[in-house]
Amino acid sequence: GMQFRWMALRSSLPRLSRCLRPFSSLSHVDEMGRAAMVDVGRKEDQQRRSATATSRVWLGEAAFHALQENRIEKGDVLSVARVAGIQAAKQTSNIIPMCHPLLLSHVRVDLRLEENNHTVLVEAQVNCRGPTGVEMEAMTAAATASLTVYDMCKAVSKSIRITDLQLEHKSGGKSGTYRREGSTVPSAA
């Protein structure tokens, strides 16, 4: 019984190791293909890191004009969404399992009304000096600000959509600088 199982397992190890090779390029996956937190404790580079993410909230005409004219019952949508995005950036490690808690030095969340397509463009920028990047903090801030706009405007329209959550720019770290092709967002300071 037990001896046979061990022999069968041992004979399948070479095949198993070939199957696991694709995981070796993923930083949050261990050698067995399981989710794992990256150890950043050995990193000595406490360099400046920055990331900017955007998203778009498609309100539709009625919700857009209600927001623009500050007629949303729940209050000042843009201010509340801005604060929600900032709070979310600071809480990213509590929401995303493999993110490390970071001491953020700056979080900026801007929301811009675009009348031509009845949307809100959300832009979140996060900075820190630390051992790992802040891309997830910027993405979480943009997503949460967008969800807050949805929450506060949903009484006016249920057809609101959130789209195009994306990293626009990041700097610092081993992988260097990244800028989304065609991005119009200025580089983070």
Side-chain angles (χ1 to χ4, degrees):
M2 189 63 151
Q3 180 72 24
F4 176 74
R5 282 192 208 130
W6 169 243
M7 295 298 286
L9 176 64
R10 224 173 80 194
S11 70
S12 67
L13 285 177
R15 280 193 320 266
L16 183 60
S17 100
R18 281 193 305 275
C19 294
L20 294 177
R21 277 194 201 117
F23 294 121
S24 64
S25 65
L26 300 173
S27 62
H28 287 83
V29 177
D30 70 11
E31 62 280 351
M32 295 301 291
R34 298 174 301 208
M37 192 168 197
V38 174
D39 181 359
V40 297
R42 294 187 208 118
K43 290 186 176 182
E44 302 208 8
D45 63 331
Q46 296 290 312
Q47 58 182 280
R48 181 173 167 77
R49 303 185 185 249
S50 182
T52 303
T54 58
S55 63
R56 185 172 298 278
V57 184
W58 297 80
L59 292 171
E61 192 171 355
F64 182 86
H65 290 298
L67 177 97
Q68 189 177 43
E69 296 161 13
N70 203 20
R71 291 185 287 110
I72 301 294
E73 285 184 36
K74 290 189 174 187
D76 182 354
V77 175
L78 301 181
S79 293
V80 173
R82 184 174 294 111
V83 171
I86 292 168
Q87 285 181 319
K90 297 189 302 182
Q91 294 297 316
T92 300
S93 66
N94 292 327
I95 301 167
I96 308 295
M98 300 304 163
C99 285
H100 294 81
L102 297 172
L103 182 60
L104 304 180
S105 57
H106 179 74
V107 179
R108 176 183 55 79
V109 177
D110 292 327
L111 295 95
R112 186 173 66 236
L113 297 175
E114 296 191 343
E115 191 156 14
N116 63 325
N117 54 12
H118 302 114
T119 65
V120 178
L121 179 64
V122 179
E123 180 183 316
Q125 179 195 341
V126 179
N127 297 331
C128 86
R129 185 172 291 281
T132 189
V134 289
E135 297 97 295
M136 290 307 301
E137 286 73 11
M139 298 279 282
T140 301
T144 303
S146 297
L147 287 167
T148 302
V149 170
Y150 178 92
D151 176 55
M152 295 184 73
C153 295
K154 70 182 186 276
V156 179
S157 173
K158 301 285 191 251
S159 64
I160 297 168
R161 292 180 301 126
I162 298 170
T163 64
D164 303 318
L165 176 63
Q166 58 194 22
L167 180 67
E168 296 290 343
H169 178 267
K170 80 109 192 146
S171 62
K174 185 170 58 173
S175 65
T177 299
Y178 164 81
R179 172 175 285 291
R180 175 173 298 287
E181 189 176 323
S183 177
T184 59
V185 173
S187 297

